[in-house]
């Protein structure tokens, strides 16, 4: 029998957040649980009060943004409450002269990007899929095809306001672009899936909009990764991906253009920077690979493709070194996977799709895991399982563990002694 | 090899052994007698780093050569209940590499091997004692370079850079040390050995690597470092833009940033610094009658640079530059940079001591803040000069003084504090690349409240629960924090140790 | 208590203390210091030594054996001066520091005693030095050394190995007091012939005179000139060095028609150029006139045609030329004027070879390690000739090459210029 949220807790939470609890759509689960109520604090103070109440009650809580990345990580341990950052949104300060911006965690990425672009600045956060909030992008630290140009998410975070599990409102970093004042605490929260503290707002570093940007695509075959790497290492490459043609109709139909005969892979590249340099690289890729212009939304299409889920399938992300990526690709393709490859830094996303008769066959899943383990061992790669069929969720740590799990557990206990923040979702079920 | 070198030391040291305890004996057995310094004269040089204000001699200095030796040294220190700290070349400027208590200094100066340099993956794995410039020289043969280039790069070590998260002129475009570290091998303060991060850049779990970079040697002893290397740019242009005063130069910096140009470096040098440098071995023919010189470097594809130079010429004309000089060849370019990087040392010509200050402010506010800082220098009647990474908003107001004059020293400290207050009030921070160390530890309260510092303590305790690794650095004692942060005074009723 | 009394007999001179204050502890010198690079010990770095001297001067540290030993472990190569942005006069500090240590009686050890005796009583007295050279030459020729070697201590054996085959007496004859210019006369220069040069490198001295004469200079070798005193000063005997310097001032400044005083030994040149450090007023005139012979030829220009020398030459900077006199480009430019001569670069050309005057004899272990690094750099580029303009370096590099069976010859740059002149004279240009 499911125990309902006690009326007492409910009212204390509503007092703390100064607003009624929102009901979570019962038809939509969240990371393997169904939430009974979601608090929507409007500022750091309210967030702090809500967390204090929950921590006193030892009540686990899920941290929600737009819920667009709930596929990442392990299923939550039983959790009935959620905290949404929806009302912690908006731009506090936008220093257009300096190219830095302070925004609330609940701010929608697309709207923010649109706003900064109007002033000549790019938001260098390139999260896979669509939608998403700043807080979610930082907490997941996922990268899209533009990682080549933008760098990892952590590089764009200058300062954070977070609220820890016991309600402490903690600041780290600042608005300036260079800073070594004390420990680099922001690094801890970025990519920690909300398990150390709730990101409340952030100072972000923006990038100057380039003078020119061009996108090309080409069909390639053979030493796929090597060719991709050569393109990735051009001076103005901002986004790059090599995609299995057969994924495009499912994940990125906008890319259009039928596959070329005998070529299994398509390379999509975006050059950005000073016009002469972009033109130079464009000419080069046209000459070398016979590339032709791609649709303007090709990069968005690639982002969509990154989160493609087959009805019954497994999606795994591998991080490897460039010198070992080709081998990883071949092992994966031999193992029945289809890949999207970002050559530098080398990230391979691999899709395994179950046939009809394989349905809910654990044997099939074991085979997939065997391929994953083989790739991991052969190319010393990290493997993160991003999507599993429902019946298989939680069979294995999505992050594949860590050699320093002991330190991480210790860290988690110091920041969240009662383990209430997103319990179970992170590496090693932290 | 080194053991033979030191044989002369061991010969003459034997007599003084009787007075030392078993702890030193144990260290000596681990690293060899010549790699274990104990006499006062030998330890004297280790009493301070680039910050000479507050020297403290260590109880012993050991010079291990391998990870295994470091592990054993740490365990021996723990067994004896002693604290310890790592040290590279001792060029740091915040007192990070000298002990406060009678700690043992673990010097990485003999761990100087480049273990692997891989042009395919554009990374290198090095021991912590590898000199920053040596790594770039080695990488150059492969068409690569190591981007963070602190002014002390000809002497400072990669290990020290990791501890301080060092910057340098070229961090404007390329980022600081933390953006270039892929993995670390770390000897934890309990003697355990861990690998943080991954050469793939995709390590799972908490970013402990990111938290360790810049932790000023308080999270353990780094024994191997895997760094990302950058490809050498196709073309480089270095420009000198001459101005009547520092604020004008800063205005051009603001225009460049706002205009979306991303130079590799934007450095401002004021008149007093130019004079000192031009009197030194690093003279480069900088104009000595100018109020300020902006050293501006552009790099990237050759075809893109002419247009960038034209844009900069136009912006410079608008901001009142009196002259623009473009370096004609590699030799002249190298001279400009040698002059810039020799600037701190050259200030030694003005007075026996130099306080190299370090603070960061929002770039848009550079002109007004520079004016305020100069006014502070005048008010305290101090020889203050400015040479700084303008593109990052990273100021280095340098104060030349003579520490033998206690009254002047007092003024130096007071002015330094006031400068920080001005910077923090403008949204800036206490240090951009030198670190907190002991120098700014007691100012941390200007920027951080008790909860903020408490979170830092939690991180530190994760690595070093007993607080034995470089104790006394970064985090202020409770009292110092309250005293330096008026806003925090109300918190003194709340315990937050 | 009595011990500490013994160890603090005096404070350091005021000039030394003032000199240490120029150092702001930036540390840029560290990696330029050969002994720091070998040991990794900051105690054995320029900054460490300066800080130690400052500590002694401020009464924070005793001037004890450890301090003295550190001062003597320094090669005195002065590479740190070239790296020092704040212009610390390290060489001068070192000499003063060593002198203070010597006065404090902190200078034991048989090596130093032999050195002290030789420096004071043999090397500056040409008659005695000549007799010693003749004696050692006999030992070499009769191959007694091979018999004796087994019985010698290791350090002495290393020192003996440094000694090249000594030239027969005929090659050690003194230079003519005056050699007239050939062709159109351009001027008159005086040559400081040095103390060891005539005995071991008489051929270099004669080549120097030939090249200068060919290029239109009268060469005088003034009588009354003495050893430059550099080795004495480095050993901490400034008083003896001063008296030699006084004699040199008298000998070289008597003749007003001299355009320059030339030296082909970097160590002597550096000392003569800094005569005013030892003799503040009277030394000024001489100091201003001194040039290295390569620097001079580069400045006035080679006039006579040079024949072809098809050689791969690596130029290795003597410390007292590049750091002591700040002459680095001139010898290279000079060598590049020789047709067919390929000047190749090796890494760390400016680093010390470990010879450093008498250092190789006093600190053989450290010296050999510093040399090892140099040899590795040279071996990598496979030169046919290594050119360097200082007797100590010539000896050290020759011994190093021989020991490692490396194929290159080690010559003074002036010998190459002389050979090029002769190649022109004997064959078609």
């Amino acid at each position: 029998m499911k125990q309902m949220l006690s009326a007492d807790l409910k009212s204390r939470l509503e007092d703390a957040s100064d607003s009624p609890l929102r009901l979570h759509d019962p038809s939509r689960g969240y990371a393997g649980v169904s939430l009974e109520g979601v608090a929507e604090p409007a500022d750091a103070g309210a967030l702090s009060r809500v967390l204090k109440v929950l921590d006193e009650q030892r009540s686990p809580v899920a941290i929600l943004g737009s819920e667009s990345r709930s596929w990442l990580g392990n299923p939550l341990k039983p959790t009935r409450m959620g905290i949404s950052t929806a009302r912690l949104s908006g731009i506090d300060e936008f220093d257009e002269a300096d190219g830095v911006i302070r925004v609330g965690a609940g701010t929608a990425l697309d709207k923010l990007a649109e706003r900064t672009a109007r002033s000549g600045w790019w938001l260098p956060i390139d999260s896979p899929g669509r939608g998403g909030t700043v807080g979610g992008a930082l907490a997941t630290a996922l990268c899209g095809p533009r990682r080549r140009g933008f760098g990892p998410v952590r590089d764009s975070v200058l300062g954070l306001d977070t609220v820890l599990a016991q309600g402490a409102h903690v600041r780290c970093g600042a608005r300036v672009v260079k800073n070594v004042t004390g420990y680099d605490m922001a690094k801890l929260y970025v990519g920690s899936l909300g398990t150390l503290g709730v990101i409340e707002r952030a100072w972000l570093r923006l990038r100057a909009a380039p003078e020119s940007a061009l996108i090309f695509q080409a069909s390639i075959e053979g030493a796929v990764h090597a060719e991709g790497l050569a393109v990735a290492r051009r001076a103005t490459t901002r986004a790059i991906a090599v995609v299995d043609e057969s994924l495009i109709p499912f994940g990125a139909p906008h890319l259009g253009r039928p596959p070329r005969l005998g070529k299994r892979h398509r390379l999509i590249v975006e050059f950005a920077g000073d016009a002469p340099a972009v033109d130079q690289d464009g000419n080069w890729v046209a000459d070398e690979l016979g590339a032709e212009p791609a649709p303007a939304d090709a990069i968005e299409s690639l982002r969509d493709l990154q989160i493609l889920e087959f009805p019954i399938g497994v999606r795994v992300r591998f991080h490897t070194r460039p010198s070992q990526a080709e081998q990883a690709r071949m092992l994966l393709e031999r193992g029945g996977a289809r890949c999207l490859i970002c050559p530098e830094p080398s990230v391979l996303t691999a899709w395994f799709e179950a046939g009809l008769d394989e349905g809910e066959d654990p044997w099939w899943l074991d085979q997939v895991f065997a391929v994953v383990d083989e790739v991991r061992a052969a190319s010393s790669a990290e493997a993160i399982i991003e999507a599993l069929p429902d019946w298989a969720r939680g069979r294995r740590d999505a992050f594949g563990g860590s050699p320093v799990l002991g330190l991480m557990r210790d860290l988690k206990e110091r920041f969240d002694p009662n383990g209430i923040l997103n319990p179970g979702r992170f590496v090693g079920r932290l | 090899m080194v053991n033979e070198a030191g044989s002369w030391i061991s010969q003459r040291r034997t007599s003084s052994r009787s007075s030392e305890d078993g702890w030193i004996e144990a260290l000596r057995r681990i690293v060899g007698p010549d790699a274990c310094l104990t006499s006062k004269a030998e330890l004297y040089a280790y009493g301070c780093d680039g910050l000479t204000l507050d020297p403290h001699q260590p109880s012993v200095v050991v010079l291990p050569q391998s990870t295994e030796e470091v592990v054993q040294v740490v365990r021996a220190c723990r067994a004896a209940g002693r604290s310890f700290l790592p040290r590279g070349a001792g060029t740091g400027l915040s007192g990070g590499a000298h002990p406060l208590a009678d700690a043992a200094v673990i010097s990485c100066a003999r761990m100087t091997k480049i273990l692997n340099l891989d042009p395919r993956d554009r990374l290198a794995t090095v021991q912590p004692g590898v000199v920053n410039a040596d790594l770039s020289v080695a990488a150059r043969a492969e068409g690569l370079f190591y981007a963070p280039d602190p002014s002390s790069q000809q002497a400072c070590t990669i290990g020290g850079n990791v501890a301080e998260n060092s910057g340098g002129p070229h961090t404007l475009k390329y980022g600081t040390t933390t953006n270039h570290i892929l993995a670390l091998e770390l000897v934890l303060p309990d003697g355990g050995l861990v690998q943080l991060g991954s050469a793939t850049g995709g390590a799972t779990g908490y970013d402990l690597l990111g938290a360790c970079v810049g932790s000023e040697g308080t999270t353990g002893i780094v024994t191997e470092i895997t760094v990302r290397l950058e490809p050498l740019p196709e073309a480089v242009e270095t420009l000198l833009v001459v101005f009547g005063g520092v604020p004008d130069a800063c205005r051009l910096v603001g225009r460049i940033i706002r205009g979306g140009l991303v130079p590799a470096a934007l450095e401002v040098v004021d008149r007093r610094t130019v004079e000192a440098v031009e009197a030194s071995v690093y003279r480069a023919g900088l104009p000595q009658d100018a109020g300020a010189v902006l050293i501006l470097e552009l790099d990237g594809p050759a075809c893109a640079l002419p247009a960038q130079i034209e844009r900069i010429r136009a912006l410079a004309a608008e901001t009142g530059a009196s002259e623009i000089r473009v370096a004609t060849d590699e030799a002249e370019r190298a001279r400009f940079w040698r002059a810039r990087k020799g600037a701190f040392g050259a200030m030694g010509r003005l007075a026996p001591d130099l306080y190299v200050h370090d603070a960061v402010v929002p770039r848009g506010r550079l002109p007004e803040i520079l004016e305020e800082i100069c006014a502070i220098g005048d008010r305290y009647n101090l020889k203050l000069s400015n040479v700084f990474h303008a593109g990052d908003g990273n100021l280095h107001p340098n104060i030349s003084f003579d520490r033998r004059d206690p009254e002047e020293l007092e003024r130096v400290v007071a002015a330094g504090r006031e400068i920080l207050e001005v910077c923090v009030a403008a949204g800036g921070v206490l240090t951009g690349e030198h670190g907190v160390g002991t120098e700014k530890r007691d100012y941390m309260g200007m920027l951080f409240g008790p909860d903020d510092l408490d979170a830092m303590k939690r991180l530190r305790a994760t690595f070093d629960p007993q607080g034995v690794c470089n104790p006394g650095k970064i985090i202020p004692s409770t009292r110092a924090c309250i005293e330096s942060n008026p806003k925090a005074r109300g918190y003194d009723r709340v315990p937050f140790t | 208590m009595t011990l500490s009394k013994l160890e603090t007999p005096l404070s350091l001179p005021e000039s030394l203390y003032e000199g240490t204050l120029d150092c702001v502890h930036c540390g840029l010198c560290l990696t330029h210091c050969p002994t720091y690079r070998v040991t990794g010990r900051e105690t054995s770095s320029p900054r460490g030594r300066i800080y130690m001297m400052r500590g002694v001067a401020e009464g924070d540290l005793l001037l004890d054996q450890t301090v003295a030993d550190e001062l003597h472990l320094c090669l005195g190569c002065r590479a740190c001066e070239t790296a020092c942005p704040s212009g610390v006069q390290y060489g001068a500090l070192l000499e003063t520091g060593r002198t203070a240590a010597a006065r404090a009686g902190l200078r034991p050890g048989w090596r130093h005693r032999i050195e002290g005796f030789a420096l004071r009583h043999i090397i500056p007295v040409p008659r005695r030095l000549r007799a010693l050279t003749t004696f050692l030459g006999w030992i070499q020729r009769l191959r007694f050394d091979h018999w004796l070697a087994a019985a010698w201590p290791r350090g002495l054996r290393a020192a003996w190995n440094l000694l090249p085959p000594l030239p027969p007496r005929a090659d050690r004859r003194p230079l003519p007091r005056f050699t007239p210019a050939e062709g159109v006369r351009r001027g008159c220069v005086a040559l400081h012939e040095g103390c060891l040069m005539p005995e071991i490198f008489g051929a270099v001295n004669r080549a120097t005179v030939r090249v200068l004469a060919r290029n239109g200079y009268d060469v005088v070798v003034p009588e009354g000139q003495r050893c430059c005193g550099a080795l004495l000063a480095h050993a901490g005997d400034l008083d003896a060095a001063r008296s030699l310097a006084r004699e040199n001032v008298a000998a070289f400044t008597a003749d007003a028609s001299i355009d320059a005083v030339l030296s082909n030994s970097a160590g002597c040149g550096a000392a003569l150029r800094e005569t005013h450090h030892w003799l503040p007023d009277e030394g000024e005139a001489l100091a201003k006139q001194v040039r290295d012979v390569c620097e001079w030829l580069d400045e006035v220009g080679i006039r006579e045609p040079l024949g072809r020398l098809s050689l791969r030459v690596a130029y290795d900077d003597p410390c007292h030329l590049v750091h002591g006199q700040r002459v680095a480009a001139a010898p290279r430019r000079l060598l590049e004027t020789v047709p067919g001569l390929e000047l190749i670069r090796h890494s760390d050309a400016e680093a010390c070879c470990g010879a450093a005057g008498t250092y190789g004899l006093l600190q053989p272990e450290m010296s050999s390690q510093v040399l090892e690094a140099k040899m590795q750099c040279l071996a990598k580029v496979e030169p046919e000739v290594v050119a360097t303009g200082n007797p100590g370096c010539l000896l050290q590099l020759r011994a190093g090459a021989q020991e490692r069976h490396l194929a290159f010859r080690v010559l003074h740059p002036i010998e190459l210029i002389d050979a090029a002149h002769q190649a022109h004279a004997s064959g078609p240009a």
Side-chain angles (χ1 to χ4, degrees), chain B residues 5 8-9 12-13 37 40 42 44 46 49 63 87 89-90 109-110 154-155 280-282 342 345 349 352 403-404, chain C residues 17 21 25 27 30-32 39-43 47 51-52 54-55 60 66 69 73 83-87 369:
Chain B
W8 63 277
I9 302 161
R12 66 162 206 246
R13 278 296 141 251
L37 315 183
K40 185 174 179 192
E42 287 176 309
Y44 202 69
Y46 293 87
D49 50 16
L63 296 129
R87 181 173 171 110
R110 287 188 182 176
Q154 56 174 294
S280 81
V281 289
Y282 294 113
R349 295 170 177 273
R403 69 170 172 185
R404 292 168 300 172
Chain C
Y17 180 51
L21 296 181
H25 227 252
L30 292 185
T31 45
H32 296 266
T39 64
R41 298 152 33 103
E42 286 185 44
T43 321
R47 181 175 74 172
Y51 202 56
M52 247 179 353
R54 181 170 174 169
D60 203 13
T66 313
D69 285 350
L73 187 67
C84 177
S86 75
Q369 286 189 63

Side-chain angles (χ1 to χ4, degrees), chain B residues 316-384:
Chain B
E318 287 170 27
T319 42
S322 59
E323 186 196 343
I324 296 184
R325 216 189 285 171
V326 183
T328 49
D329 57 16
E330 182 57 30
E332 189 172 12
R333 198 180 89 70
R335 268 204 305 283
F336 289 165
W337 281 115
R338 277 166 56 85
R340 165 62 187 86
K341 293 185 175 176
F344 291 157
M347 305 308 290
R349 295 170 177 273
L350 301 182
D353 293 283
L354 175 71
Y355 181 33
V356 183
H357 218 329
D358 174 38
V360 195
V361 297
R363 295 174 287 190
R365 302 192 56 183
L366 279 172
E368 58 194 86
I369 288 167
L370 255 303
E371 273 167 18
E372 278 187 67
I373 287 174
C374 292
I376 292 170
D378 291 344
R379 202 158 61 243
Y380 283 94
N381 192 21
L382 290 168
K383 256 187 240 165
L384 186 143

Side-chain angles (χ1 to χ4, degrees), chain A residues 243-277:
Chain A
V243 192
D244 197 310
E245 283 281 359
S246 68
L247 290 168
I248 290 175
F250 300 100
H254 293 289
L255 283 175
R257 182 178 162 289
R260 300 287 185 264
L261 201 64
K263 306 228 169 165
R264 182 176 170 181
H265 299 92
R266 196 183 303 186
L267 178 144
I268 293 114
V269 60
E270 180 189 40
F271 299 116
D274 292 333

